[in-house]
Amino acid sequence: MTLRLTNTLTRRVEAFQPIEPGKVSIYCCGVTVYDLCHLGHARSYIAWDVLRRYLSWSGYAVRFVQNYTDIDDKILNRAAEEGSSMEAVSERNIEAFVADMTRLNILPADRMPRATRSLDAIRALISELEAKGAAYSADGDVYFAVMKHAGYGKLSGRDLEQQQDNAAGRVASEEEARKQHPFDFALWKGAKPGEPSFPSPWGEGRPGWHIECSAMVREELGDTIDIHLGGADLVFPHHENEIAQSEAATGKELAHYWLHNGMVNVGGQKMSKSLGNFTTIRALLDSGVSPMTLRLFTLQAHYRKPLDFTAEALDAAATGWKGLDAALGLAGEIKTAGAEPGVGVAEQIPALASARERFAAAMDDDLNTSAALAVLFELAKPLRALANRIERGDDAARAEASTPELAAQAHLLRELAGVLGLQHEMAEAQPLGGEGTDAAGLSDAEIEAQIEARKTAKAAKDFATADGIREALKAQGIELIDKPGGLTEWLRS
């Protein structure tokens, strides 16, 4: 099968065809480094990490670029609040970003350019736009003239006249007076008193947000790239403006495929500091949620759909991860013991060859990670059961674990889990066994608690969470039997 992706630009699911056979160029919009990363960042960067891993696993040579926006009003405001500097705020949060991404097992980008280190490319691009009549200067600012780009609105599907009608009173009158059209946007901002600034042909100032990415894409990857990534909140205006700037300057398509991940809700509401439901990655992980639980949780939903964080859904993901982690732990022991199968052994076993094919088919289907995870849980089931027996001192189970067939299954599990960025966590964080538990650490009380959480979800008509809890328990070898009157019984397999 061929990888198919939902292209925001065409609003269709399309077969992926790279510009250059065997190679893929990807640009991912990065963070504005004024604060710690939040759950929305985790969702986005986990999704794109999986895309990158899958392309590499499929045999492509991938060049992945992700930027830092290290000059912005938010950064300047944070520096003023702290009595520090733009550089100090940026550096601190870049270090925090790297630490958080490392904990989530997100591969570092091949290149991570910064806006402040790409100023020559930014100024050159603005000058080109000005020379072509697509940009104009006004009192030290430089604006992009949206009416000069015939395709403006093609990504978001917005109509300029409708936008203008809906924007009445939104733009500050002083700035509006300098613009030729209300939706013209700043490429270069003249310096305000006391702000950090950089020299330019238009006077001291700093770049606008949108031009930074256009310049860094071209500098790092060229005029046209294969895939451009970001959250759905970036479709308009950021990505729309990127397209307009880049294509007005080069006359070429900026990216062939535009992929956008869905937004994050918390308890059914949009995540927002004003609502008090804003959570950083660091705070969540430091609260005891394991990085792989968070990663598994995000991959249970399709990347394009909204993702709702609830305590019940996260608990269900933790349950599922315990079993998968136990299986991966045993798979690692098999590898360490030198029982790794030879090259091509898994492909010679029909059941394993089928599992590999089903995993690839799921991922080819617009990165259907939920279906891909189902294959992992299937491969993990006998390994989890063996881990349970070994934990209880069954010597025969240890011998079974070293058979060629099971070694091949363990190898395939580790390989496919790696494509999703899932890796065995330390035993201290995810203990195997224990009194009154199975190998995944599930006690009778924990199972009953999951059943109660499922009942609560069903009562709230949150059937996605309810089904997720059932599947997570099933992956642990726990079969639920719904009875009349709302009763649920369970059996260990």
Side-chain angles (χ1 to χ4, degrees):
M1 296 179 67
T2 301
L3 173 62
R4 300 177 305 282
L5 299 170
T6 299
N7 190 348
T8 305
L9 184 65
T10 62
R11 296 160 185 78
R12 294 195 304 266
V13 178
E14 299 178 347
F16 175 67
Q17 293 291 337
I19 297 168
E20 186 176 351
K23 297 182 179 180
V24 183
S25 54
I26 301 177
Y27 183 87
C28 179
C29 275
V31 289
T32 300
V33 286
Y34 75 99
D35 205 347
L36 294 174
C37 289
H38 53 67
L39 296 184
H41 294 123
R43 198 278 166 90
S44 185
Y45 297 141
I46 288 171
W48 306 140
D49 181 62
V50 168
L51 169 65
R52 178 187 182 186
R53 288 172 181 267
Y54 183 63
L55 287 168
S56 296
W57 183 75
S58 300
Y60 290 102
V62 181
R63 182 163 175 79
F64 191 97
V65 175
Q66 182 173 329
N67 75 298
Y68 290 119
T69 294
D70 61 347
I71 180 166
D72 181 85
D73 288 339
K74 292 178 179 179
I75 299 173
L76 297 177
N77 291 339
R78 183 59 52 87
E81 291 170 7
E82 298 176 353
S84 61
S85 66
M86 176 188 77
E87 293 81 5
V89 171
S90 296
E91 288 299 328
R92 181 181 73 238
N93 287 300
I94 286 172
E95 290 179 8
F97 171 86
V98 171
D100 289 345
M101 296 302 106
T102 300
R103 291 177 75 179
L104 292 175
N105 196 30
I106 292 173
L107 297 172
D110 297 309
R111 289 277 297 154
M112 296 202 75
R114 304 186 188 190
T116 57
R117 297 178 184 177
S118 304
L119 290 169
D120 287 343
I122 291 169
R123 287 183 287 242
L125 182 53
I126 296 173
S127 294
E128 288 179 42
L129 290 169
E130 193 174 33
K132 293 186 176 185
Y136 59 92
S137 59
D139 300 328
D141 294 339
V142 183
Y143 294 96
F144 182 85
V146 295
M147 298 303 290
K148 298 289 186 179
H149 185 63
Y152 193 82
K154 66 180 180 180
L155 183 70
S156 61
R158 300 193 180 206
D159 178 81
L160 271 180
E161 291 185 4
Q162 183 181 5
Q163 291 175 46
Q164 187 169 355
D165 292 340
N166 292 339
R170 291 186 193 172
V171 183
S173 58
E174 183 180 343
E175 183 180 12
E176 188 175 10
R178 295 198 298 270
K179 294 182 177 182
Q180 296 174 359
H181 187 281
F183 283 91
D184 291 351
F185 55 89
L187 304 174
W188 188 264
K189 299 180 179 182
K192 296 178 182 178
E195 282 188 348
S197 63
F198 307 90
S200 82
W202 314 280
E204 289 286 322
R206 56 188 174 88
W209 176 36
H210 312 299
I211 196 67
E212 296 173 2
C213 284
S214 284
M216 286 186 273
V217 168
R218 185 165 73 161
E219 187 173 44
E220 297 289 344
L221 298 169
D223 291 341
T224 303
I225 64 173
D226 289 302
I227 303 173
H228 199 304
L229 305 171
D233 57 326
L234 298 181
V235 173
F236 186 89
H238 185 51
H239 287 169
E240 193 74 75
N241 290 352
E242 270 193 71
I243 289 174
Q245 298 162 156
S246 296
E247 297 185 0
T250 67
K252 301 175 184 177
E253 189 175 18
L254 174 56
H256 286 178
Y257 301 87
W258 290 82
L259 274 58
H260 294 93
N261 63 273
M263 295 293 95
V264 170
N265 298 321
V266 178
Q269 292 183 303
K270 180 180 178 181
M271 188 173 65
S272 167
K273 288 184 177 179
S274 63
L275 294 175
N277 62 1
F278 182 87
T279 305
T280 65
I281 296 170
R282 183 157 300 184
L284 187 65
L285 297 184
D286 288 349
S287 73
V289 174
S290 82
M292 292 299 102
T293 290
L294 179 56
R295 190 165 183 123
L296 177 67
F297 173 70
T298 64
L299 296 178
Q300 288 175 330
H302 193 273
Y303 76 90
R304 295 184 62 245
K305 294 181 179 179
L307 181 66
D308 193 19
F309 273 82
T310 65
E312 294 81 9
L314 205 55
D315 284 346
T319 298
W321 173 245
K322 285 180 180 178
L324 189 55
D325 188 43
L328 286 169
L330 181 57
E333 290 181 22
I334 292 171
K335 181 178 186 297
T336 302
E340 281 282 85
V343 176
V345 171
E347 288 79 356
Q348 297 171 18
I349 300 174
L352 299 187
S354 172
R356 179 189 286 274
E357 290 170 2
R358 285 183 284 115
F359 178 88
M363 295 298 287
D364 281 342
D365 184 19
D366 198 20
L367 304 180
N368 186 346
T369 52
S370 177
L373 282 170
V375 176
L376 260 64
F377 282 119
E378 178 186 311
L379 290 170
K381 188 172 182 179
L383 291 162
R384 175 186 52 76
L386 274 178
N388 181 29
R389 290 170 56 195
I390 291 170
E391 183 72 14
R392 298 185 182 194
D394 186 337
D395 293 334
R398 195 170 293 279
E400 290 176 33
S402 62
T403 61
E405 293 78 9
L406 201 66
Q409 184 154 338
H411 176 79
L412 183 61
L413 174 63
R414 291 178 65 251
E415 178 187 346
L416 301 186
V419 176
L420 300 183
L422 295 168
Q423 61 182 5
H424 176 55
E425 291 184 311
M426 298 298 293
E428 291 77 8
Q430 298 282 349
L432 287 180
E435 186 175 354
T437 69
D438 66 7
L442 277 183
S443 66
D444 292 359
E446 287 174 321
I447 295 170
E448 294 291 349
Q450 289 296 310
I451 291 173
E452 285 302 312
R454 177 171 174 262
K455 287 181 180 179
T456 300
K458 289 174 70 175
K461 299 188 183 302
D462 184 1
F463 299 112
T465 295
D467 291 344
I469 292 172
R470 173 188 278 277
E471 289 304 312
L473 287 171
K474 185 177 180 181
Q476 294 294 297
I478 308 301
E479 190 71 31
L480 300 187
I481 305 168
D482 290 325
K483 298 283 188 177
L487 297 175
T488 300
E489 296 179 356
W490 57 271
L491 295 172
R492 293 186 193 270
S493 60

